[in-house]
Amino acid sequence: MLSLIKLVGQHEASLFLFTILVIFLVALFGSFLSRKGRRRLPPSPLKLPIIGNLHNLGLNLPRSLWHLAKHFGPFMLLHFGAVKVFIVSSADGAREIMKTHDIIFANRPRLRAIQKLLYNYRDVGSAPYGEYWRQIKSICVLHLLSNRRIQSFRAVREEETALMIDEIERATLILDVFTAGMDTTYTSLEWAMTELLRHPNVMKQLQKEVREIAGEKSYIQEKDLEKMHYLKAVLKETLRLHPPVPLLGARESTQDVEVMGYNIAAGTWVIVNAWAIGRDPMSWEQPEEFIPERFLDSSIDFKGHDFQLIPFGSGRRGCPGILFATTISELFLANIVHKFDWTLPSGVKEKDIDMTESNGLTMHRKFPLIAIANKCSC
Ligand code: HEM
């Protein structure tokens, strides 16, 4: 009898152990399956109910996203309220969005305010990717902003620039206040002048180039710009540190997609932080320093092929106004440094120049730049 009880007990114990083993294996397999099926999301800071990650953001959005990226890495998933936003802060990531998966990210997010302001998304910048956008973008690229069309207005631009130089010349009889507008092209010129005034050696080098090429001419013409390599380097360096549109036009994914190993769901907004990419130590030596020389022996350009320098974006939704903007900027900058020696108001040192940036879609100087135009003694 005793041995029968012992046998049943042993049998129950082994049944018990077997059951535990099965449960363990099932649990292990289940967890493996669910981990396999689970989406791998980009890292996110802790989000709060309703507002998501809005509390993580400061007023200077590119800068606060840059600080977050230093902690969470170049790919982050933030929640702007209920909206999922994929933030990209590296050249490799930008290439994935605007080249590898460009067609998936060719849409702009639909915002009610934009819909109301821009007549139901009728402008090129906000129009949904599709036939209508294709038509108006090709009008821009082929007819309004083509190389031929831009060249055809060369005389007008040169005349306007000459008039502006004369205007500044008249004003140099005490002080000229160099105030640039909020528009992207003028924003980049205002930052260029700011950096030139902060770096007198760069200004001197630029004036040397421009004045040597100009010779006896009163005004620089567009055909002279070709040879001005230092001028082009100064503008590139300005656009690297101060991209006028620091967070490139937002995009929206039209389908689920994997980017750099992360699963991005359809409908996620994507923001590429060009401002942070321009300062990324992985792409740039001494990233915080204004050194135009870095571009002299380099083929890096801002036309959208070198993803470490993308002030105009890239891919299908890239800016069609690059040629127009750079031609005006080069012509304007060459003429004002050719004709005038620029100084800061009395008592203001280079290091005192306020570099505070404004908030908003275009990042211009928060306070206007004040500089004195002295007629060149050359
Ligand atoms: C320094 C001057 C300029 C800068 C930095 C700039 C920058 C940009 C950027 C970052 C985008 C979004 C690109 C993207 O999402 O990948 C854009 C789009 C656009 N830009 Fe510019 N831009 C400038 C000047 C101009 C000019 C002069 C024009 C026209 C005369 C222009 C017309 C446009 C248009 C139409 C779009 C929308 C393209 C689309 O959504 O398909 N831009 N620009």
Side-chain angles (χ1 to χ4, degrees), residues 309-330:
L309 188 69
I310 41 167
F312 296 97
S314 178
R316 287 172 172 74
R317 295 308 296 233
C319 177
I322 302 185
L323 186 64
F324 186 64
T326 48
T327 309
I328 291 186
S329 307
E330 287 174 10

Side-chain angles (χ1 to χ4, degrees), residues 98 108 124-126 133 137 140 145 184-185 188 239 244-245 248-249 251 310-314 316-322 324-325 329:
M98 296 185 286
R108 302 274 190 216
V124 193
S126 70
W133 169 82
K137 180 109 184 204
C140 272
L145 298 165
T184 46
T185 307
S188 60
L239 289 167
V245 187
L248 306 181
R251 314 272 187 114
I310 41 167
F312 296 97
S314 178
R316 287 172 172 74
R317 295 308 296 233
C319 177
I322 302 185
F324 186 64
S329 307

Side-chain angles (χ1 to χ4, degrees), residues 90-150:
S90 77
D92 286 347
R95 185 185 295 106
E96 286 276 301
I97 301 297
M98 296 185 286
K99 188 173 177 187
T100 317
H101 302 295
D102 188 35
I103 195 155
I104 294 175
F105 293 107
N107 241 343
R108 302 274 190 216
R110 290 177 163 243
L111 294 172
R112 241 183 124 58
I114 302 275
Q115 183 184 19
K116 293 276 172 221
L117 278 173
L118 299 175
Y119 306 97
N120 204 19
Y121 312 110
R122 302 309 279 175
D123 74 304
V124 193
S126 70
Y129 181 66
E131 196 42 43
Y132 172 74
W133 169 82
R134 235 187 305 275
Q135 279 176 15
I136 49 174
K137 180 109 184 204
S138 80
I139 292 173
C140 272
V141 173
L142 301 175
H143 302 291
L144 298 176
L145 298 165
S146 69
N147 198 348
R148 228 181 69 198
R149 181 52 61 102
I150 286 172

